[in-house]
Every structure is written in structure tokens, then in C-alpha cells.
Amino acid sequence: MATIPSLPSRDDVLRMARSTTDITGQLLDTAGNITRIAINTFDPRDGSGQEVLRVLRRTTAELAEASASPQAQEAFYRIVDTLTRLGTSGAPLAAHPVSAPAQALLTALGDSLLPVLDAVEPAVEEFATALGELVEAMSPLLPATAGLTAGALLALTPLIRAAADVLRDSSPELRRIADALTAALAPLMPLQVALAERAAAAGAGVVRASLQPLADLTEAAAATTKAAGPVLVAGEELLVAGLEHLQPALLAGASRAGRVARAAAVRVSAAVSPAAEPGVVVSVAAV
């Protein structure tokens, strides 16, 4: 005969009532906050709320139309397929014994990399700014670079297709090569492991023995560099001054070379197609 469950005690009933009251109060406060946000956002006094609603309606309509396109459906399918594969392959990897060392390695790397990232953050920001300025300055060259890249890709496409056809037709031979390499290298693996352990031990000993002299050498080099700092700065200033003095001569030489190249191009064009402009004679003299 089934036993009758005991009724909750008075303390349990009071505890559940207090918990229910607290949760209900929090939900009501949250709902009130959401209501105030909606009222402040869609305040009809200045007409901004109606404009926001129109923008939201138009945006959602465009998103709905775009999501129904074949390209969007294909993208959604790929995303779902990728998530499915990650789910099916990620669970065994998470339960695999190798995941624990991997997590420990990631934790150690994170703890050791954070100070380094904090130290290099200003330099990285300045480098990113300078790189952005460089890319902006090189923007006129981007169309030519894109054209050259497209031409190179078009030239490489037949080679890649031919290589794929050759490899596809030679799959039995490739399998034989792989089997032969596996059979030849498998007996050597234990010996390689032993040699690697000995090399690691010897390398560790060499590193331990060379750390002290390396530290002394680094301190001496730092002291020498600090002492020779003014001389290095003076040499850099002399080099920069020399480049500044040479800049006019270099610019003049480049301008003269450009004029000579243009004159040669005109003469070559006239020699290649002399009948193109019979009544016009072009003569360019280099200065």
C-alpha cells in the first residue's frame, strides 16, 4: 500500500511564499523598467516614436524579403550544417582525455599572455593607426594590385585543375606511396622518440648552462648601447641630414629619368605606328 506523502511544514510554506513574492516583485520591476524604456523610446510628443516604428517596420520588411532569397537560405543552411558538425564533433572532443591538458595549456597561455598584451597594447594601437594611414595612402595602387591578382589567379587556375586531375587519376599510386612510407617510417618511430628525448635533455642542459653567460652578455650589451647612445643618435642625425641634402638631387634625377622615358615612349610609338598621325610630328627633348 502506497504511503501518503507528508505535508510541507510551516517553515517550508513560509520560505516558498517569500521566494515567490521576491521573484514576482523582481519580475514586476523588470516589466516596469521595460515599459518605461518603451515609453521613453516611442514617446509620441515629438513624433520620434512613430518615425522609429516606421523605420523598424521598413527594416524588418527588407530583412524578411532578403531572408527569403536563395542566397540567404543557402547561408542559413551552411550555418546550421556547421553548427551541427561542431556539435557532433565537439562533444567527443570535450570528453576526450586530451581536452584536460589542452584546457590547462590555454589557461597557462592566457595567464602569461595577459601582461604581455597589456604591455604591447599602445604599440599595437599606434601600429594599427600607421597601417591604416599606409593603406589609405596606397589606395590608388589597389585597383592595379587587384587586377594583377585576378590575372595571376586566372593563370594559376588551369595549373591547379591539371594538378587535381593528375592526382585524382593517380590515387592508387599515391596510396601505394603512402603505404610504403608508412611501412618504412613506422619501425623508426621508437628510435626517433628516444633520440628526441635525448636531444631534449641535452638541449635543456645547454640552455641552463648558457643562461648565465647570456645574461652577462645581455647586461654588457645593454650597458654598451646605453653608453654609445649619443654616438648612435649623432650617426642617425648625420644619416638623416645626408638624405635631406640628397633629396633634391634624387628628385631631379627621377624627374629627368621620367622625361627621358616619356621621350623614348613617344619615339617608340611613332616608330611602331608611323601612319597613325601622318600630319603630326612629336619631338621631346630631355632637359
Side-chain angles (χ1 to χ4, degrees):
M1 184 176 180
T3 59
I4 299 175
S6 60
L7 296 175
S9 63
R10 182 175 178 275
D11 295 336
D12 294 336
V13 174
L14 291 175
R15 190 181 304 109
M16 289 187 292
R18 292 194 190 95
S19 178
T20 305
T21 303
D22 293 339
I23 294 174
T24 304
Q26 293 177 8
L27 290 176
L28 290 176
D29 291 340
T30 303
N33 294 332
I34 295 174
T35 303
R36 284 196 297 272
I37 292 172
I39 291 174
N40 294 332
T41 303
F42 304 107
D43 191 356
R45 286 176 296 180
D46 55 355
S48 61
Q50 297 178 1
E51 181 63 24
V52 170
L53 288 177
R54 282 195 295 269
V55 172
L56 287 176
R57 181 178 59 82
R58 187 167 56 251
T59 304
T60 53
E62 293 176 357
L63 289 175
E65 184 179 356
S67 63
S69 63
Q71 295 83 359
Q73 293 296 321
E74 180 67 20
F76 293 155
Y77 172 77
R78 291 181 180 177
I79 291 173
V80 172
D81 183 64
T82 302
L83 292 176
T84 303
R85 293 186 180 182
L86 287 175
T88 55
S89 60
L93 289 176
H96 198 276
V98 77
S99 63
Q103 292 175 0
L105 177 61
L106 291 176
T107 303
L109 287 176
D111 295 339
S112 60
L113 285 179
L114 285 178
V116 177
L117 295 178
D118 293 337
V120 302
E121 181 181 1
V124 171
E125 290 179 354
E126 293 184 2
F127 176 78
T129 304
L131 184 61
E133 295 176 356
L134 177 62
V135 172
E136 184 178 359
M138 293 178 60
S139 58
L141 299 176
L142 293 180
T145 305
L148 293 175
T149 303
L153 292 177
L154 290 176
L156 288 176
T157 300
L159 299 177
I160 295 175
R161 288 178 178 172
D165 293 337
V166 171
L167 292 176
R168 189 183 301 110
D169 297 336
S170 303
S171 58
E173 288 77 8
L174 293 176
R175 190 174 296 107
R176 289 173 54 193
I177 292 173
D179 295 339
L181 289 176
T182 303
L185 296 177
L188 299 178
M189 292 305 297
L191 179 61
Q192 296 298 323
V193 172
L195 291 176
E197 292 178 352
R198 292 174 56 190
V206 171
V207 170
R208 292 192 188 95
S210 61
L211 281 178
Q212 183 65 35
L214 182 61
D216 297 338
L217 179 62
T218 305
E219 290 180 353
T224 304
T225 304
K226 185 177 180 180
V231 178
L232 294 176
V233 172
E236 292 175 355
E237 290 180 353
L238 289 176
L239 178 60
V240 173
L243 291 176
E244 291 175 350
H245 287 298
L246 287 176
Q247 182 179 7
L250 293 176
L251 292 176
S255 178
R256 189 176 295 108
R259 288 194 292 269
V260 171
R262 285 194 296 271
V266 171
R267 293 180 183 276
V268 170
S269 299
V272 171
S273 56
E277 295 290 340
V280 178
V281 177
V282 178
S283 177
V284 178
V287 180

